[in-house]
Amino acid sequence: GIQVEQSPPDLILQEGANSTLRCNFSDSVNNLQWFHQNPWGQLINLFYIPSGTKQNGRLSATTVATERYSLLYISSSQTTDSGVYFCAVEGYSGGGADGLTFGKGTHLIIQP
Amino acid sequence: DTAVSQTPKYLVTQMGNDKSIKCEQNLGHDTMYWYKQDSKKFLKIMFSYNNKELIINETVPNRFSPKSPDKAHLNLHINSLELGDSAVYFCASSRTGLSDTIYFGEGSWLTVV
């Protein structure tokens, strides 16, 4: 099956800093999503981005499908950004309705 | 209104028991899923289901079974619970199951003692 690798695994930053999280995947994808799992365990959709660039406030994401990677940018970090960020993909070979394959996540801690 | 809702949120039960987790989505989606998050926070799909097809991850023990009374509900039944079943179980849904955003419920924390 498709493999998803995220880096870095852990990241500690001061409030106000910017960060870039990376997701590499091993095959062509028809779905790529970024999620934030907050300290209460909720999985929050950030972006649906199988290709291209999107922005939502301080967050933006870029997926270069031909090179099989996606980047999540967080600017002017706030303590509420802390949590685990997951990249998840669905490959074309799955034929649909196979759900997402998740990476192991980046654990982000924003210190005040 | 919560788009994808699960009950119970927390469940503590003894080994050998049978339990169910219920899931409902009010988004009008055709496809629903169950995912398992282990103690290392790794998320893995267990099942995907729409009106026509059930796809089972081959690593899921047959003690786990999804039951769908209608398109808006996908319940998870677990028989003969084992200690290793302790995890967070997430229900999710998507409009078509093909290249669509997948929305997750808030999770059900299962502890087997």
Side-chain angles (χ1 to χ4, degrees), chain B residues 6-26:
Chain B
Q6 303 178 220
T7 55
K9 188 171 178 69
Y10 300 101
L11 180 58
V12 180
T13 188
Q14 291 187 326
M15 277 195 310
N17 284 351
D18 302 337
K19 290 294 177 186
S20 296
I21 304 172
K22 296 184 177 180
C23 178
E24 175 182 4
Q25 54 95 2
N26 63 6

Side-chain angles (χ1 to χ4, degrees), chain A:
Chain A
I2 197 165
Q3 305 297 313
V4 182
E5 292 186 1
Q6 291 186 242
S7 60
D10 300 281
L11 187 58
I12 301 175
L13 297 172
Q14 293 297 120
E15 204 168 16
N18 302 328
S19 58
T20 300
L21 282 55
R22 187 176 179 102
C23 172
N24 293 332
F25 43 95
S26 62
D27 205 347
S28 299
V29 298
N30 58 19
N31 186 348
L32 187 148
Q33 291 182 234
W34 282 97
F35 295 90
H36 174 214
Q37 188 166 37
N38 64 22
W40 296 270
Q42 290 179 299
L43 277 168
I44 300 164
N45 279 302
L46 297 177
F47 295 103
Y48 168 81
I49 187 166
S51 64
T53 297
K54 290 186 178 180
Q55 181 158 5
N56 184 4
R58 296 181 296 104
L59 273 61
S60 63
T62 295
T63 297
V64 184
T66 53
E67 297 187 22
R68 299 181 183 169
Y69 73 89
S70 183
L71 302 174
L72 177 69
Y73 305 96
I74 305 173
S75 63
S76 304
S77 298
Q78 301 175 358
T79 55
T80 51
D81 295 331
S82 297
V84 183
Y85 289 81
F86 290 104
C87 170
V89 304
E90 180 174 9
Y92 277 104
S93 59
D98 286 350
L100 296 168
T101 297
F102 279 77
K104 292 185 177 181
T106 292
H107 187 197
L108 176 65
I109 298 174
I110 304 297
Q111 295 178 334

